[in-house]
Amino acid sequence: MKKHWWHKATIYQIYPRSFMDSNNDGIGDLRGIISKLDYLEKLGINAIWLSPVYQSPMDDNGYDISDYRAIADIFGNMDDMEELLDEANKRNIKIVMDLVVNHTSDEHAWFIEAKENPASPKRDYYIWRKEKNGLESTFSGSAWQYDEDSGEYYLHLFSKKQPDLNWENEDLRHEIYDMMNFWIDKGIGGFRMDVIDLLGKVPDKEIKENGPMLHTYLKEMNKNTFGKRDLLTVGETWGASPEIAKKYSNPDNEELSMVFQFEHIGLQHKDGKPKWFYEKDLYVSKLKEIFAKWQTELELGKGWNSLFWENHDLPRVLSLWADVDEYREKSAKALAILLHLMRGTPYIYQGEEIGMTNYPFKDLSEFEDIESINYAKECLEKGEDEKEILDRVSVIGRDNARTPMQWDASKNAGFSKADSTWLPVNPNYKEINVEEALKDPDSIFYTYQKLVDLRKKNDWLIDADFKLLETEEKVFAYTRETEDEKYLIVVNFSGESQDFDLEEDYTDIVISNTDVDEVKNSGKLKAWDAFCVKIK
């Protein structure tokens, strides 16, 4: 397999609204990010995935773009963007832009023209029908919005202010490729591709994901834009299996570097229920099965994994899988060690490296996220109990990941000097913040820093085969083995002691949150013990 920089990289996702506010308006911005690049350099990451900063009315926090070649005023301007690229490059950090091309904002010039002039060629940049069918929006209700003036419906798989683009139109596709090249020429490190599996949709057959033309479009995109450059491209693909992931990420197919698959995230949700109905008892055995499947079936040279626990659309992993009370730091380290020593490119979501947690929502009025608000409204209209709705949304809602980054114990966690911030700061910021983490040599931050460094320096993290070991249900143990080396990774995925017989002798302790010799001597793992050792 040809090696690329992103095989040994760790990517850090920034949600710009919530990272750092430089002008004290309560909203994070590009100059705020620039001011924290030294911190990210210390962490050691190779690239920043930047959630959208393009011009947008912000109906869906920037995922509704009105101009792909301009920066939203709340974040700054193009000079700030170019300075961010320059300053990041000085620190050997690449900027990966969020590519949102399934839909635009209804305030994009293309859609305004399409709506006002049905005879315009831009009309066919979007999807219009005389009659609507049963397609539903991810954000609740029908995916079709009636336009009074033309007497037709337009498709929106998300908000009604996010009309879907018609990828069957060749002129549209080349407009998008030109826009991508505009950003590539500015020196970006690649693209994270929002809901990329929807581009081949066939609305009349109610096909959303993985439509018949999807891979044809991606091959064309590759050829016309990033294919000749060494850029990272990662597609958001909610419904992918390992076989589907190979279509995207097999180098021979000339499509993408990798995809985000969400099968392990699905364990948070009750079978057969909407995503809001969460599992209170998460099954480690199922998690082991899913990770092992992706590690073994997406073979080296046939595809590539992405590794992540969190992003801007998901709740904080510690509040779901770990122990935020008695073992917050130790369980956070355990989850990091488990994930980062697998094969794939790891992604850290801002605040994950200091162990940020879900926000303690007390009322439905506290939510800003359009998806959460629409869902709660729909439930209330059906007469559902408000406390039950709050319980569901407060655990799973996307605002949990979007509260401001916790920098220190000062006002607003050092995120902003404004009287109020766009989302409130989590009240635990006085204990959980960057300043405290950097002072403590045993903090979660330094575990992440070491994992990032290990990946840069060790080829076995790319090349070694993965094998899941048979253990107690709450113990997740696996080996990574090459012809010359063998490593054992063991995690107690629980707050209780577990039996584990460390039979093999080891030469080195690679990383640990516990006393490995004690585990060897006792045959027991204490709560949330985690380590990696090199086997003789």
Side-chain angles (χ1 to χ4, degrees):
M1 182 184 74
K2 184 184 174 187
K3 302 272 176 76
H4 296 273
W5 65 269
W6 39 264
H7 285 118
K8 298 186 91 163
T10 302
I11 319 300
Y12 188 93
Q13 184 190 355
I14 287 180
Y15 196 68
R17 274 180 166 261
S18 302
F19 193 64
M20 184 66 197
D21 174 16
S22 72
N23 62 354
N24 300 316
D25 62 355
I27 299 169
D29 47 51
L30 292 173
R31 302 211 69 78
I33 297 169
I34 293 167
S35 75
K36 295 298 184 183
L37 287 173
D38 287 347
Y39 165 73
L40 296 175
E41 185 179 25
K42 184 179 178 72
L43 181 58
I45 54 105
N46 306 78
I48 292 166
W49 155 21
L50 191 64
S51 283
V53 291
Y54 313 97
Q55 190 171 299
S56 164
M58 299 290 162
D59 184 57
D60 185 24
N61 287 356
Y63 283 87
D64 49 317
I65 296 168
S66 55
D67 187 344
Y68 288 104
R69 299 183 193 222
I71 301 297
D73 292 344
I74 60 167
F75 296 135
N77 56 38
M78 192 59 82
D79 289 342
D80 298 324
M81 185 68 220
E82 288 172 352
E83 186 178 335
L84 172 60
L85 284 161
D86 288 344
E87 290 297 323
N89 282 329
K90 284 177 192 171
R91 294 163 176 82
N92 295 314
I93 296 171
K94 298 175 189 289
I95 301 292
V96 174
M97 297 293 280
D98 216 319
L99 184 76
V100 188
V101 291
N102 173 69
H103 47 265
T104 66
S105 165
D106 64 346
E107 296 181 33
H108 193 291
W110 297 342
F111 189 73
I112 291 169
E113 187 175 332
K115 203 164 179 284
E116 289 177 356
N117 181 7
S120 163
K122 297 287 192 294
R123 180 79 172 183
D124 194 48
Y125 279 20
Y126 297 88
I127 296 166
W128 302 86
R129 296 291 183 267
K130 294 282 187 197
E131 302 289 335
K132 64 178 181 176
N133 61 15
L135 278 176
E136 290 192 355
S137 162
T138 302
F139 292 169
S140 303
S142 171
W144 296 98
Q145 180 67 21
Y146 189 63
D147 173 41
E148 295 275 350
D149 294 335
S150 64
E152 290 191 322
Y153 294 88
Y154 66 83
L155 182 70
H156 62 92
L157 292 177
F158 295 92
S159 158
K160 66 183 179 184
K161 288 183 67 63
Q162 291 169 292
D164 274 58
L165 289 164
N166 175 20
W167 270 75
E168 291 180 15
N169 185 301
E170 187 176 357
D171 290 341
L172 165 79
R173 298 200 303 275
H174 285 278
E175 289 252 28
I176 287 168
Y177 306 152
D178 286 348
M179 175 271 291
M180 292 172 70
N181 287 324
F182 166 84
W183 285 105
I184 291 169
D185 291 343
K186 284 192 180 291
I188 65 166
F191 295 102
R192 175 266 180 184
M193 301 181 174
D194 188 60
V195 295
I196 201 71
D197 55 347
L198 302 182
L199 298 194
K201 70 184 82 68
V202 187
D204 298 330
K205 294 182 179 176
E206 298 192 14
I207 294 171
K208 293 199 282 191
E209 296 90 357
N210 300 313
M213 289 295 289
L214 173 62
H215 294 282
T216 304
Y217 296 149
L218 290 177
K219 284 176 175 43
E220 182 184 79
M221 179 191 283
N222 177 302
K223 185 180 173 187
N224 282 276
T225 59
F226 52 79
K228 296 178 185 68
R229 322 270 189 124
D230 194 14
L231 300 183
L232 179 154
T233 51
V234 53
E236 181 188 25
T237 59
W238 275 85
S241 63
E243 282 309 308
I244 290 172
K246 283 180 198 174
K247 289 182 183 175
Y248 290 102
S249 65
N250 187 324
D252 296 342
N253 290 353
E254 297 187 333
E255 292 187 23
L256 309 181
S257 314
M258 67 192 88
V259 296
F260 288 129
Q261 61 82 18
F262 294 86
E263 196 173 349
H264 63 299
I265 301 300
L267 295 177
Q268 299 167 10
H269 313 308
K270 280 191 183 291
D271 279 349
K273 293 270 193 181
K275 70 176 244 183
W276 307 96
F277 290 81
Y278 62 93
E279 280 288 358
K280 292 186 173 68
D281 297 308
L282 292 159
Y283 297 105
V284 180
S285 55
K286 287 185 182 175
L287 185 74
K288 292 194 279 195
E289 190 184 305
I290 289 168
F291 275 144
K293 176 174 81 174
W294 281 89
Q295 287 290 299
T296 55
E297 292 184 21
L298 204 56
E299 304 105 313
L300 192 64
K302 300 285 178 65
W304 189 250
N305 268 298
S306 60
L307 306 169
F308 71 98
W309 286 122
E310 294 184 357
N311 66 30
H312 63 292
D313 284 335
L314 302 174
R316 291 289 183 179
V317 68
L318 298 190
S319 295
L320 280 180
W321 280 102
D323 183 337
V324 294
D325 299 318
E326 193 175 352
Y327 296 111
R328 183 184 65 85
E329 294 215 0
K330 194 174 183 187
S331 59
K333 292 174 189 177
L335 292 185
I337 290 167
L338 174 73
L339 190 80
H340 281 245
L341 299 180
M342 294 187 198
R343 182 191 288 151
T345 299
Y347 290 74
I348 302 168
Y349 180 69
Q350 62 183 46
E352 181 186 336
E353 76 281 10
I354 59 167
M356 283 177 63
T357 63
N358 274 5
Y359 184 86
F361 292 100
K362 301 284 193 297
D363 193 85
L364 290 173
S365 63
E366 294 178 277
F367 290 90
E368 285 281 338
D369 170 40
I370 185 172
E371 184 185 34
S372 301
I373 291 167
N374 284 0
Y375 173 72
K377 185 180 168 194
E378 201 176 71
C379 292
L380 288 169
E381 285 169 357
K382 290 177 186 167
E384 291 188 34
D385 180 74
E386 192 166 334
K387 280 187 179 170
E388 287 182 14
I389 303 166
L390 178 64
D391 173 61
R392 296 197 290 267
V393 178
S394 63
V395 172
I396 297 296
R398 303 192 297 180
D399 283 337
N400 282 302
R402 300 176 181 186
T403 59
M405 182 71 177
Q406 293 162 211
W407 293 105
D408 58 41
S410 68
K411 178 185 173 182
N412 296 326
F415 161 73
S416 174
K417 292 187 174 73
D419 290 336
S420 63
T421 53
W422 81 277
L423 269 181
V425 174
N426 194 311
N428 63 18
Y429 73 90
K430 291 195 173 170
E431 298 79 48
I432 303 173
N433 63 64
V434 168
E435 189 175 60
E436 287 297 317
L438 294 181
K439 279 193 302 199
D440 175 8
D442 195 36
S443 71
I444 301 163
F445 174 90
Y446 291 108
T447 293
Y448 272 89
Q449 184 191 57
K450 185 165 186 181
L451 289 164
V452 171
D453 192 54
L454 283 170
R455 184 161 291 275
K456 286 178 182 172
K457 294 175 178 171
N458 291 279
D459 281 338
W460 67 266
L461 283 163
I462 300 176
D463 299 327
D465 290 336
F466 174 100
K467 184 183 178 187
L468 182 69
L469 303 182
E470 281 196 28
T471 57
E472 299 285 326
E473 199 258 333
K474 293 284 176 73
V475 176
F476 196 144
Y478 61 91
T479 56
R480 300 288 312 276
E481 189 169 4
T482 66
E483 284 183 10
D484 308 314
E485 298 177 299
K486 184 177 180 182
Y487 295 85
L488 170 68
I489 297 91
V490 181
V491 176
N492 178 0
F493 219 106
S494 78
E496 294 83 43
S497 172
Q498 302 286 340
D499 293 334
F500 183 78
D501 192 0
L502 181 47
E503 295 171 341
E504 294 176 281
D505 292 326
Y506 47 88
T507 56
D508 298 299
I509 297 170
V510 178
I511 191 167
S512 171
N513 71 359
T514 190
D515 183 335
V516 181
D517 292 338
E518 191 181 315
V519 174
K520 174 116 178 129
N521 294 332
S522 67
K524 297 273 186 192
L525 295 165
K526 295 199 295 289
W528 293 104
D529 272 359
F531 59 84
C532 170
V533 291
K534 186 175 183 180
I535 299 296
K536 276 185 181 174

